[in-house]
Every structure is written in C-alpha cells, then in structure tokens.
Amino acid sequence: MSSYDEVTAAVYETLANRETVIVMEDEAKEVLGFLKSQFCLIIHTEYLGSDGTGQDITFNLILPKSFPLVLPKIYIDCSQVEKYRYLPHVNVTSGHICTFDEETTRPDPKNPVGVVLDCVKRAKQIIEDGLRGANFKDYEDEFMTYWMNSYDDEPKILADTLCLFSAEPDATKLEMIKLSKKVATFEYVLHQNDDDAKRFLKYLEDKAITHTITTVCHLGRIPFDFKPPFSRRNKDIKRMVATLPAQVSTKFKSYINSKSSPKNVTASVTVNGEQHLIGWRHTEFKPVGKRNGFRKGKTNNFELLSSLQATDFVNRCHFMVLSTLQKQMRTDGITAKQPRRKLLVAGLGSIGSNLIQFLNSDTSTEFMLVDPDYLTLDNLNRHFLGFESLWKYKAKAMHDYLLYKNPLQKVTYFEATIDSFFEHGRKLIEEMDYLFLVTGKANVDEYMSAKCRADEMNKPLFILWVEPYLSAGHCLYLHPDDRGYLEFFDQDDFFKNNVIEKAAYMENHPLLSLKQSGCHTSYVPYGLNAVAQFLSAIFPEVNAILNQSIKTSKAITWIGDLQQITELGIAVKNNMIELKHGSLIIDENGTI
C-alpha cells in the first residue's frame, strides 16, 4: 500500500482535473475543528438540481491518517449547511454527509482514488435525492439519530433517563423514579414493575442508592412526521394532543394541571413497524398570579401551553434502553424471546471464575454461584477477578462483577461447599437447568455424581478439572438419562483419559503440586494462558450441549504442552505422548 503522502497526492491530482480544488490551510482546519495532521481539500463542485440545472455546492473532503483503510469524510461547507441540514444523511450541526455505512463498508486500499470519487459521487446523489424527496423514507430509517440532535435554539437533548424496557409500555404499569445519586449518567429510571425492574431495584439497594417515585404521563401511540427538525414548543404539543382520543387528551390536561413536578411525558411512535419510546419535559410553569399585571387563579397550566408560555421549548428526552430483550438483540442479532438458561456453577477458583465469562456469552443466562472461599493474593494471577476483589468471598465477588456488567441479570450466590449446599438447598438446585462442578476436588465430584446416579439429583452435570501444569484439561458431561460416570474411571478411580501416568499420581511425584509455605499452601501449577486455551477449546463443545440439549454423556479432553512435563521428568502415558498441543479428544464410551 502506498504511503499517506503518495495517496493524498494522487487524490489531489485526480480531483483537480475534475473539480475546482483547494488544499485547506492549517488555520482553516483549526477553525473548522479538523486535525492539522489530516489532508483536507475544499471542493467546489455541482450537483443536478430538481430543475435539471447545475447547482453550486462546496464540500470539505477529509482524508483520515488511516485512509485508505477507512472511508474519507465529506462535509458540506459551513457557509452552506443551513440550506441542506435537514436532508437525510446530513448531520444538522456539522454538515457531515454519511455517504456509506462505516460499519459495513470496506474501502479498497488498492484503489484510494476510486474510493474518494465514489464518496464524492455518493455525496452529490444524497443531496439530489434529498431535495427531490426521493430518499424521504431514510428519515424513518434513521429516526432515533435525528431525534437526538438539537434544532434551532431548543435546549440540549436530555439523556438522563434509563429505560428498562424496549417494547410498547403498559401505561398502567409505567413508573418513573428519581435516583438519590446518579448511576453512570442516569438520574431517572423508567420501568414497568416487571422482573427487569425488580432486579435493577435490587441492584440499587445493594449500591445503597435510594429513589423516589416521580410522575409520568404516557400518551400511547401518537402520529409523527419523521422529517426534522423535531424541536417542539408548548403550543405544538397542545396542538398534537388535541388530535388524540378524548380520554388521552383529558389525561394529559389533568396531568399538566396537577401539582407534580417535573412534567414528564412519554409517547410511542411506530418506526418501520417497531415501537420506539420518545419523551419530553415541560419547563416549569409560572402561575399567572405570580406575573406582574395578572390576577391570581385566572389561567391554569394547560391554558399556558397556548398563551403566555406557548413559545417555550419542551426539553426533549432520549431514553437509553437497557432491557433483557434489547441486550439480546444487540448481542445475538435476534428478537425472538429466548428461554432463560439457568446454570449453577460450584467452585469459582481459577478455572470456574474464567469459565463464567464463557457461560455468560448467552445474554439470557441466570447464574447460581456456590463457593465457600475468599480470594487470596496467591490466587490472583490466574483468577478472573482482580486486585479489588481480594479478601472477598469469591461467590459474592463474582455476583457483584456480573451485576456490574448487567444489573438486569439474575444472579444468586451462596458461600458454601456444594455438598453442604446440596443437603440444604436441594430445591434450589432442582430449579437449575445444568450444574457445573469446578471444585478441583475428586471426592466432591464423585459425591455429586453419585447423587446423580442414585436419582437424588436429576440434572445434567458438567465436571471440569485440570492436570498439573495444565498438561491436560478435562470436562466430563453426565446426563441423568445416560449415567455413565464410572465407565470413565478405572478400578483405582483414576480418569482413564489422564495424560500423566497413574504411577506418578499414586507415588505423589513431588512436582505434581508445589508449596509456598506451610501445610495448607499446596497448589497445582499452571498459568492463566493455559487456562484460556483450555476453556476456549472446549467451550464450543459445551455450548453445543447446552444449545442442543444433548442427552449422551461424554468426556472432553484438551491436550496441553506435554513436552514441558516430560522435560520435568513426569511420565506421560504412551498412548498420549504423540498428541499435539491443543488437540481435543471427545470420548463417549470411556475409551479413547
């Protein structure tokens, strides 16, 4: 690929042969807010007017330093923005023309001049189509983007309200609360008293954030002209409300005349067949009795909308949506409501804590976390949690982390061993869809699998553990309809697919576990990098089991760096020694 200077020179030469082109000086760049390091051209050109004649227009062409790996940017010159600012794909403030979608368009780095010519051509086409009304539908396609812009001299768009739903609200359940202190940038929360709302209110409670209920008036679906500008004054709102059903206009009038403050109003608009929530706040009404020359009590707030305060702008609101359905759409790209998957994870050490981030890739997952220990400094290097979680119970710390990422997620935790929790919380376990045992304790794994075999626990079970130096990582999946636990182990209770020779374990080879000091500081050596490799390799198999509800028990083994442990003098099984690092073994019958 040519250098930036070579590319810009070629672009200038080509455009100069077609248009009137001037290289922008640094002083002009500074005035317009462009970076001095970027190559900028002033292009005097023409587009085809609706009457068939050429019309003059001036573009400012910006070539970012990453060009041609990214698209160039084209702005209408500031002296001409007013004429075109309300056309589709034109930013009302900066005059930037969205020629192509930067997220989905891949410019050709081998043809930078062609990329620029295409963008200039597209910019002209957008202007021509906009003036003819040929791309009017694009207003609706990009409605929420236009709604967030400020127009004329109206107040800045309010973005201080978090909305916990994404569909058409039920006006009888709609509630707005004001927070005692902001969460992120949000001072208000709009919700419908549903499960998402309950989880978010619990999140606020855990954060010691109190709230008060404030009033809101929902108008339901309203007619809407998608052509900007969208600035609205009191008189515009009153005129629009008069077109709505009588019961709605009566409700609005009563609300405006009430003593509640501030006056929050919401409404739904249909955009491409989907409902979107918009809203506004009316500025404070000044009673007539407090105005010089007016007698008290002669005019109410509703009448002020079309009289003394008729020209006051309303404060339009942009609601930021955080909902289970909306989060699923953004991550999965689907809108169909998925059943919520319920997972119990017991053991939140280095393997279990890192496993959580894989299991949490499904946005509808509910977690029940079980672990009796707290996070110590010697656990830190390979644990998912960080320094700020030291000396906190792992179950509580992982619970807090998950809710920090998504306050609407359902997460419960118990500071207990899984065997004691099973005895006292069996009903809770029965509510789960799958259990993951990641305790690293063979006796606990055998105890829980025995409960499964004895019909005391009728839930699919995953057991994960690793061998020293992560020479191998294992995941044993046991389904209650296929209770094949024992067939994966030999007569001495050793896993048949271990890579390290059984004799090394039975003789307690000194390098299989290390000690820092004392008799309670033994640990199995392996690093975080190997943990990530192990979990990322087996997770597609685990995910397939979860998604397809597979009922066949199986063992999944990931092969680590066997050369490392042979160099340490640790014996590897003969049938394993030739396996490549990163190999995956799927075993459904207890033999390789």
Side-chain angles (χ1 to χ4, degrees), residues 254-284:
S254 177
Y255 178 67
I256 291 296
N257 283 333
S258 69
K259 294 181 179 181
S260 63
S261 180
K263 306 290 188 187
N264 300 293
V265 182
T266 60
S268 297
V269 295
T270 304
V271 181
N272 289 329
E274 295 182 355
Q275 297 303 308
H276 288 261
L277 196 71
I278 62 172
W280 59 88
R281 288 183 201 141
H282 290 272
T283 54
E284 184 179 357

PDB file of all heavy atoms in Angstrom, residues 254-284:
ATOM      1  N   SER A 254     -55.205  16.893  32.625  1.00  0.00           N
ATOM      2  CA  SER A 254     -55.220  16.731  34.075  1.00  0.00           C
ATOM      3  C   SER A 254     -53.806  16.672  34.633  1.00  0.00           C
ATOM      4  O   SER A 254     -53.513  17.257  35.692  1.00  0.00           O
ATOM      5  CB  SER A 254     -55.989  15.456  34.440  1.00  0.00           C
ATOM      6  OG  SER A 254     -55.961  15.223  35.823  1.00  0.00           O
ATOM      7  N   TYR A 255     -52.931  15.982  33.931  1.00  0.00           N
ATOM      8  CA  TYR A 255     -51.543  15.856  34.387  1.00  0.00           C
ATOM      9  C   TYR A 255     -50.828  17.206  34.359  1.00  0.00           C
ATOM     10  O   TYR A 255     -50.131  17.572  35.312  1.00  0.00           O
ATOM     11  CB  TYR A 255     -50.808  14.848  33.502  1.00  0.00           C
ATOM     12  CG  TYR A 255     -49.347  14.673  33.854  1.00  0.00           C
ATOM     13  CD1 TYR A 255     -48.971  14.093  35.051  1.00  0.00           C
ATOM     14  CD2 TYR A 255     -48.351  15.092  32.974  1.00  0.00           C
ATOM     15  CE1 TYR A 255     -47.624  13.937  35.378  1.00  0.00           C
ATOM     16  CE2 TYR A 255     -47.005  14.933  33.283  1.00  0.00           C
ATOM     17  CZ  TYR A 255     -46.653  14.353  34.493  1.00  0.00           C
ATOM     18  OH  TYR A 255     -45.322  14.202  34.807  1.00  0.00           O
ATOM     19  N   ILE A 256     -50.997  17.941  33.276  1.00  0.00           N
ATOM     20  CA  ILE A 256     -50.340  19.248  33.158  1.00  0.00           C
ATOM     21  C   ILE A 256     -50.833  20.199  34.253  1.00  0.00           C
ATOM     22  O   ILE A 256     -50.061  21.000  34.799  1.00  0.00           O
ATOM     23  CB  ILE A 256     -50.587  19.855  31.757  1.00  0.00           C
ATOM     24  CG1 ILE A 256     -49.852  19.047  30.694  1.00  0.00           C
ATOM     25  CG2 ILE A 256     -50.149  21.318  31.708  1.00  0.00           C
ATOM     26  CD1 ILE A 256     -48.345  19.059  30.822  1.00  0.00           C
ATOM     27  N   ASN A 257     -52.091  20.102  34.616  1.00  0.00           N
ATOM     28  CA  ASN A 257     -52.649  20.992  35.646  1.00  0.00           C
ATOM     29  C   ASN A 257     -52.361  20.517  37.066  1.00  0.00           C
ATOM     30  O   ASN A 257     -52.651  21.231  38.029  1.00  0.00           O
ATOM     31  CB  ASN A 257     -54.165  21.129  35.463  1.00  0.00           C
ATOM     32  CG  ASN A 257     -54.518  22.057  34.310  1.00  0.00           C
ATOM     33  OD1 ASN A 257     -53.755  22.960  33.971  1.00  0.00           O
ATOM     34  ND2 ASN A 257     -55.670  21.823  33.694  1.00  0.00           N
ATOM     35  N   SER A 258     -51.815  19.312  37.212  1.00  0.00           N
ATOM     36  CA  SER A 258     -51.525  18.788  38.552  1.00  0.00           C
ATOM     37  C   SER A 258     -50.332  19.511  39.167  1.00  0.00           C
ATOM     38  O   SER A 258     -49.612  20.262  38.496  1.00  0.00           O
ATOM     39  CB  SER A 258     -51.249  17.284  38.471  1.00  0.00           C
ATOM     40  OG  SER A 258     -50.017  17.048  37.811  1.00  0.00           O
ATOM     41  N   LYS A 259     -50.103  19.248  40.448  1.00  0.00           N
ATOM     42  CA  LYS A 259     -49.012  19.911  41.162  1.00  0.00           C
ATOM     43  C   LYS A 259     -47.680  19.182  41.005  1.00  0.00           C
ATOM     44  O   LYS A 259     -46.658  19.663  41.493  1.00  0.00           O
ATOM     45  CB  LYS A 259     -49.365  20.008  42.647  1.00  0.00           C
ATOM     46  CG  LYS A 259     -50.551  20.923  42.937  1.00  0.00           C
ATOM     47  CD  LYS A 259     -50.828  20.996  44.435  1.00  0.00           C
ATOM     48  CE  LYS A 259     -52.007  21.928  44.718  1.00  0.00           C
ATOM     49  NZ  LYS A 259     -52.298  22.033  46.179  1.00  0.00           N
ATOM     50  N   SER A 260     -47.681  18.037  40.365  1.00  0.00           N
ATOM     51  CA  SER A 260     -46.450  17.263  40.237  1.00  0.00           C
ATOM     52  C   SER A 260     -45.417  18.016  39.398  1.00  0.00           C
ATOM     53  O   SER A 260     -45.754  18.759  38.471  1.00  0.00           O
ATOM     54  CB  SER A 260     -46.739  15.908  39.582  1.00  0.00           C
ATOM     55  OG  SER A 260     -47.224  16.083  38.273  1.00  0.00           O
ATOM     56  N   SER A 261     -44.168  17.800  39.732  1.00  0.00           N
ATOM     57  CA  SER A 261     -43.069  18.441  39.002  1.00  0.00           C
ATOM     58  C   SER A 261     -41.835  17.552  39.117  1.00  0.00           C
ATOM     59  O   SER A 261     -41.579  16.981  40.180  1.00  0.00           O
ATOM     60  CB  SER A 261     -42.791  19.823  39.599  1.00  0.00           C
ATOM     61  OG  SER A 261     -41.749  20.461  38.910  1.00  0.00           O
ATOM     62  N   PRO A 262     -41.082  17.389  38.029  1.00  0.00           N
ATOM     63  CA  PRO A 262     -41.279  17.959  36.700  1.00  0.00           C
ATOM     64  C   PRO A 262     -42.383  17.235  35.927  1.00  0.00           C
ATOM     65  O   PRO A 262     -42.841  16.180  36.347  1.00  0.00           O
ATOM     66  CB  PRO A 262     -39.925  17.739  36.025  1.00  0.00           C
ATOM     67  CG  PRO A 262     -39.400  16.488  36.670  1.00  0.00           C
ATOM     68  CD  PRO A 262     -39.862  16.549  38.101  1.00  0.00           C
ATOM     69  N   LYS A 263     -42.798  17.820  34.824  1.00  0.00           N
ATOM     70  CA  LYS A 263     -43.847  17.236  33.983  1.00  0.00           C
ATOM     71  C   LYS A 263     -43.189  16.353  32.923  1.00  0.00           C
ATOM     72  O   LYS A 263     -42.721  16.828  31.885  1.00  0.00           O
ATOM     73  CB  LYS A 263     -44.667  18.339  33.298  1.00  0.00           C
ATOM     74  CG  LYS A 263     -45.255  19.370  34.248  1.00  0.00           C
ATOM     75  CD  LYS A 263     -46.374  18.791  35.097  1.00  0.00           C
ATOM     76  CE  LYS A 263     -47.069  19.898  35.895  1.00  0.00           C
ATOM     77  NZ  LYS A 263     -48.056  19.357  36.851  1.00  0.00           N
ATOM     78  N   ASN A 264     -43.153  15.040  33.189  1.00  0.00           N
ATOM     79  CA  ASN A 264     -42.547  14.079  32.271  1.00  0.00           C
ATOM     80  C   ASN A 264     -43.622  13.458  31.388  1.00  0.00           C
ATOM     81  O   ASN A 264     -44.616  12.929  31.894  1.00  0.00           O
ATOM     82  CB  ASN A 264     -41.843  12.973  33.053  1.00  0.00           C
ATOM     83  CG  ASN A 264     -40.738  13.501  33.941  1.00  0.00           C
ATOM     84  OD1 ASN A 264     -39.728  13.988  33.462  1.00  0.00           O
ATOM     85  ND2 ASN A 264     -40.938  13.400  35.254  1.00  0.00           N
ATOM     86  N   VAL A 265     -43.417  13.508  30.084  1.00  0.00           N
ATOM     87  CA  VAL A 265     -44.392  12.961  29.144  1.00  0.00           C
ATOM     88  C   VAL A 265     -43.677  11.983  28.219  1.00  0.00           C
ATOM     89  O   VAL A 265     -42.576  12.261  27.727  1.00  0.00           O
ATOM     90  CB  VAL A 265     -45.068  14.066  28.314  1.00  0.00           C
ATOM     91  CG1 VAL A 265     -46.115  13.464  27.377  1.00  0.00           C
ATOM     92  CG2 VAL A 265     -45.706  15.105  29.232  1.00  0.00           C
ATOM     93  N   THR A 266     -44.299  10.825  28.001  1.00  0.00           N
ATOM     94  CA  THR A 266     -43.753   9.838  27.059  1.00  0.00           C
ATOM     95  C   THR A 266     -44.806   9.501  26.011  1.00  0.00           C
ATOM     96  O   THR A 266     -46.008   9.681  26.230  1.00  0.00           O
ATOM     97  CB  THR A 266     -43.319   8.542  27.769  1.00  0.00           C
ATOM     98  OG1 THR A 266     -44.452   7.960  28.414  1.00  0.00           O
ATOM     99  CG2 THR A 266     -42.228   8.817  28.782  1.00  0.00           C
ATOM    100  N   ALA A 267     -44.349   9.020  24.875  1.00  0.00           N
ATOM    101  CA  ALA A 267     -45.247   8.616  23.788  1.00  0.00           C
ATOM    102  C   ALA A 267     -44.540   7.585  22.933  1.00  0.00           C
ATOM    103  O   ALA A 267     -43.303   7.491  22.937  1.00  0.00           O
ATOM    104  CB  ALA A 267     -45.649   9.823  22.948  1.00  0.00           C
ATOM    105  N   SER A 268     -45.299   6.799  22.208  1.00  0.00           N
ATOM    106  CA  SER A 268     -44.733   5.778  21.327  1.00  0.00           C
ATOM    107  C   SER A 268     -44.937   6.183  19.875  1.00  0.00           C
ATOM    108  O   SER A 268     -46.002   6.686  19.505  1.00  0.00           O
ATOM    109  CB  SER A 268     -45.409   4.427  21.570  1.00  0.00           C
ATOM    110  OG  SER A 268     -45.170   3.977  22.887  1.00  0.00           O
ATOM    111  N   VAL A 269     -43.904   5.974  19.068  1.00  0.00           N
ATOM    112  CA  VAL A 269     -44.015   6.208  17.637  1.00  0.00           C
ATOM    113  C   VAL A 269     -43.646   4.922  16.916  1.00  0.00           C
ATOM    114  O   VAL A 269     -42.780   4.166  17.374  1.00  0.00           O
ATOM    115  CB  VAL A 269     -43.114   7.368  17.162  1.00  0.00           C
ATOM    116  CG1 VAL A 269     -43.564   8.687  17.771  1.00  0.00           C
ATOM    117  CG2 VAL A 269     -41.650   7.112  17.504  1.00  0.00           C
ATOM    118  N   THR A 270     -44.299   4.648  15.805  1.00  0.00           N
ATOM    119  CA  THR A 270     -44.037   3.441  15.027  1.00  0.00           C
ATOM    120  C   THR A 270     -42.983   3.742  13.975  1.00  0.00           C
ATOM    121  O   THR A 270     -43.189   4.589  13.099  1.00  0.00           O
ATOM    122  CB  THR A 270     -45.323   2.930  14.352  1.00  0.00           C
ATOM    123  OG1 THR A 270     -46.331   2.718  15.351  1.00  0.00           O
ATOM    124  CG2 THR A 270     -45.061   1.623  13.618  1.00  0.00           C
ATOM    125  N   VAL A 271     -41.835   3.067  14.096  1.00  0.00           N
ATOM    126  CA  VAL A 271     -40.729   3.259  13.162  1.00  0.00           C
ATOM    127  C   VAL A 271     -40.443   1.924  12.485  1.00  0.00           C
ATOM    128  O   VAL A 271     -40.016   0.971  13.137  1.00  0.00           O
ATOM    129  CB  VAL A 271     -39.466   3.759  13.890  1.00  0.00           C
ATOM    130  CG1 VAL A 271     -38.342   3.984  12.884  1.00  0.00           C
ATOM    131  CG2 VAL A 271     -39.763   5.029  14.669  1.00  0.00           C
ATOM    132  N   ASN A 272     -40.713   1.861  11.194  1.00  0.00           N
ATOM    133  CA  ASN A 272     -40.511   0.623  10.434  1.00  0.00           C
ATOM    134  C   ASN A 272     -41.173  -0.572  11.108  1.00  0.00           C
ATOM    135  O   ASN A 272     -40.605  -1.658  11.204  1.00  0.00           O
ATOM    136  CB  ASN A 272     -39.010   0.363  10.243  1.00  0.00           C
ATOM    137  CG  ASN A 272     -38.373   1.332   9.276  1.00  0.00           C
ATOM    138  OD1 ASN A 272     -39.022   1.805   8.341  1.00  0.00           O
ATOM    139  ND2 ASN A 272     -37.112   1.650   9.495  1.00  0.00           N
ATOM    140  N   GLY A 273     -42.377  -0.352  11.591  1.00  0.00           N
ATOM    141  CA  GLY A 273     -43.145  -1.431  12.186  1.00  0.00           C
ATOM    142  C   GLY A 273     -42.813  -1.723  13.635  1.00  0.00           C
ATOM    143  O   GLY A 273     -43.455  -2.571  14.253  1.00  0.00           O
ATOM    144  N   GLU A 274     -41.829  -1.048  14.193  1.00  0.00           N
ATOM    145  CA  GLU A 274     -41.454  -1.254  15.588  1.00  0.00           C
ATOM    146  C   GLU A 274     -41.781  -0.021  16.409  1.00  0.00           C
ATOM    147  O   GLU A 274     -41.739   1.110  15.902  1.00  0.00           O
ATOM    148  CB  GLU A 274     -39.958  -1.562  15.707  1.00  0.00           C
ATOM    149  CG  GLU A 274     -39.548  -2.867  15.045  1.00  0.00           C
ATOM    150  CD  GLU A 274     -38.076  -3.155  15.228  1.00  0.00           C
ATOM    151  OE1 GLU A 274     -37.365  -2.289  15.796  1.00  0.00           O
ATOM    152  OE2 GLU A 274     -37.623  -4.235  14.819  1.00  0.00           O
ATOM    153  N   GLN A 275     -42.106  -0.251  17.691  1.00  0.00           N
ATOM    154  CA  GLN A 275     -42.444   0.850  18.577  1.00  0.00           C
ATOM    155  C   GLN A 275     -41.191   1.422  19.244  1.00  0.00           C
ATOM    156  O   GLN A 275     -40.355   0.672  19.751  1.00  0.00           O
ATOM    157  CB  GLN A 275     -43.434   0.380  19.652  1.00  0.00           C
ATOM    158  CG  GLN A 275     -44.766  -0.098  19.112  1.00  0.00           C
ATOM    159  CD  GLN A 275     -45.457   0.967  18.273  1.00  0.00           C
ATOM    160  OE1 GLN A 275     -45.625   2.101  18.699  1.00  0.00           O
ATOM    161  NE2 GLN A 275     -45.856   0.589  17.069  1.00  0.00           N
ATOM    162  N   HIS A 276     -41.077   2.740  19.222  1.00  0.00           N
ATOM    163  CA  HIS A 276     -39.978   3.425  19.902  1.00  0.00           C
ATOM    164  C   HIS A 276     -40.559   4.448  20.856  1.00  0.00           C
ATOM    165  O   HIS A 276     -41.556   5.112  20.547  1.00  0.00           O
ATOM    166  CB  HIS A 276     -39.054   4.117  18.894  1.00  0.00           C
ATOM    167  CG  HIS A 276     -38.212   3.168  18.102  1.00  0.00           C
ATOM    168  ND1 HIS A 276     -36.897   2.904  18.414  1.00  0.00           N
ATOM    169  CD2 HIS A 276     -38.504   2.392  17.028  1.00  0.00           C
ATOM    170  CE1 HIS A 276     -36.412   2.024  17.548  1.00  0.00           C
ATOM    171  NE2 HIS A 276     -37.370   1.705  16.694  1.00  0.00           N
ATOM    172  N   LEU A 277     -39.918   4.557  22.007  1.00  0.00           N
ATOM    173  CA  LEU A 277     -40.391   5.489  23.021  1.00  0.00           C
ATOM    174  C   LEU A 277     -39.666   6.821  22.883  1.00  0.00           C
ATOM    175  O   LEU A 277     -38.434   6.864  22.797  1.00  0.00           O
ATOM    176  CB  LEU A 277     -40.150   4.909  24.419  1.00  0.00           C
ATOM    177  CG  LEU A 277     -40.917   5.586  25.559  1.00  0.00           C
ATOM    178  CD1 LEU A 277     -42.411   5.259  25.463  1.00  0.00           C
ATOM    179  CD2 LEU A 277     -40.368   5.125  26.910  1.00  0.00           C
ATOM    180  N   ILE A 278     -40.437   7.903  22.835  1.00  0.00           N
ATOM    181  CA  ILE A 278     -39.867   9.244  22.878  1.00  0.00           C
ATOM    182  C   ILE A 278     -40.478   9.968  24.074  1.00  0.00           C
ATOM    183  O   ILE A 278     -41.441   9.490  24.690  1.00  0.00           O
ATOM    184  CB  ILE A 278     -40.139  10.036  21.584  1.00  0.00           C
ATOM    185  CG1 ILE A 278     -41.651  10.218  21.369  1.00  0.00           C
ATOM    186  CG2 ILE A 278     -39.499   9.348  20.383  1.00  0.00           C
ATOM    187  CD1 ILE A 278     -41.990  11.162  20.212  1.00  0.00           C
ATOM    188  N   GLY A 279     -39.920  11.101  24.401  1.00  0.00           N
ATOM    189  CA  GLY A 279     -40.469  11.823  25.541  1.00  0.00           C
ATOM    190  C   GLY A 279     -39.949  13.239  25.629  1.00  0.00           C
ATOM    191  O   GLY A 279     -39.062  13.653  24.865  1.00  0.00           O
ATOM    192  N   TRP A 280     -40.515  13.973  26.571  1.00  0.00           N
ATOM    193  CA  TRP A 280     -40.089  15.363  26.795  1.00  0.00           C
ATOM    194  C   TRP A 280     -40.519  15.804  28.189  1.00  0.00           C
ATOM    195  O   TRP A 280     -41.342  15.162  28.842  1.00  0.00           O
ATOM    196  CB  TRP A 280     -40.673  16.301  25.732  1.00  0.00           C
ATOM    197  CG  TRP A 280     -42.186  16.301  25.674  1.00  0.00           C
ATOM    198  CD1 TRP A 280     -43.053  17.072  26.399  1.00  0.00           C
ATOM    199  CD2 TRP A 280     -43.001  15.460  24.844  1.00  0.00           C
ATOM    200  NE1 TRP A 280     -44.349  16.783  26.076  1.00  0.00           N
ATOM    201  CE2 TRP A 280     -44.348  15.800  25.116  1.00  0.00           C
ATOM    202  CE3 TRP A 280     -42.738  14.467  23.891  1.00  0.00           C
ATOM    203  CZ2 TRP A 280     -45.418  15.169  24.477  1.00  0.00           C
ATOM    204  CZ3 TRP A 280     -43.793  13.848  23.266  1.00  0.00           C
ATOM    205  CH2 TRP A 280     -45.120  14.201  23.551  1.00  0.00           C
ATOM    206  N   ARG A 281     -39.912  16.888  28.649  1.00  0.00           N
ATOM    207  CA  ARG A 281     -40.310  17.514  29.911  1.00  0.00           C
ATOM    208  C   ARG A 281     -40.697  18.951  29.625  1.00  0.00           C
ATOM    209  O   ARG A 281     -39.998  19.664  28.901  1.00  0.00           O
ATOM    210  CB  ARG A 281     -39.164  17.499  30.929  1.00  0.00           C
ATOM    211  CG  ARG A 281     -38.878  16.144  31.500  1.00  0.00           C
ATOM    212  CD  ARG A 281     -37.795  16.168  32.563  1.00  0.00           C
ATOM    213  NE  ARG A 281     -37.242  14.822  32.683  1.00  0.00           N
ATOM    214  CZ  ARG A 281     -35.973  14.554  32.873  1.00  0.00           C
ATOM    215  NH1 ARG A 281     -35.099  15.552  32.979  1.00  0.00           N
ATOM    216  NH2 ARG A 281     -35.560  13.306  32.955  1.00  0.00           N
ATOM    217  N   HIS A 282     -41.806  19.334  30.183  1.00  0.00           N
ATOM    218  CA  HIS A 282     -42.231  20.724  30.058  1.00  0.00           C
ATOM    219  C   HIS A 282     -41.482  21.575  31.076  1.00  0.00           C
ATOM    220  O   HIS A 282     -41.294  21.164  32.223  1.00  0.00           O
ATOM    221  CB  HIS A 282     -43.745  20.847  30.286  1.00  0.00           C
ATOM    222  CG  HIS A 282     -44.560  20.265  29.178  1.00  0.00           C
ATOM    223  ND1 HIS A 282     -44.918  20.995  28.064  1.00  0.00           N
ATOM    224  CD2 HIS A 282     -45.069  19.016  28.988  1.00  0.00           C
ATOM    225  CE1 HIS A 282     -45.628  20.226  27.248  1.00  0.00           C
ATOM    226  NE2 HIS A 282     -45.728  19.017  27.785  1.00  0.00           N
ATOM    227  N   THR A 283     -41.047  22.728  30.641  1.00  0.00           N
ATOM    228  CA  THR A 283     -40.371  23.638  31.564  1.00  0.00           C
ATOM    229  C   THR A 283     -41.346  24.092  32.635  1.00  0.00           C
ATOM    230  O   THR A 283     -42.560  23.974  32.489  1.00  0.00           O
ATOM    231  CB  THR A 283     -39.815  24.855  30.816  1.00  0.00           C
ATOM    232  OG1 THR A 283     -40.875  25.476  30.075  1.00  0.00           O
ATOM    233  CG2 THR A 283     -38.712  24.446  29.857  1.00  0.00           C
ATOM    234  N   GLU A 284     -40.814  24.615  33.692  1.00  0.00           N
ATOM    235  CA  GLU A 284     -41.655  24.994  34.833  1.00  0.00           C
ATOM    236  C   GLU A 284     -42.680  26.046  34.415  1.00  0.00           C
ATOM    237  O   GLU A 284     -42.363  27.015  33.723  1.00  0.00           O
ATOM    238  CB  GLU A 284     -40.774  25.548  35.956  1.00  0.00           C
ATOM    239  CG  GLU A 284     -41.539  25.885  37.211  1.00  0.00           C
ATOM    240  CD  GLU A 284     -40.636  26.401  38.306  1.00  0.00           C
ATOM    241  OE1 GLU A 284     -39.405  26.432  38.093  1.00  0.00           O
ATOM    242  OE2 GLU A 284     -41.162  26.779  39.369  1.00  0.00           O
TER     243      GLU A 284
END
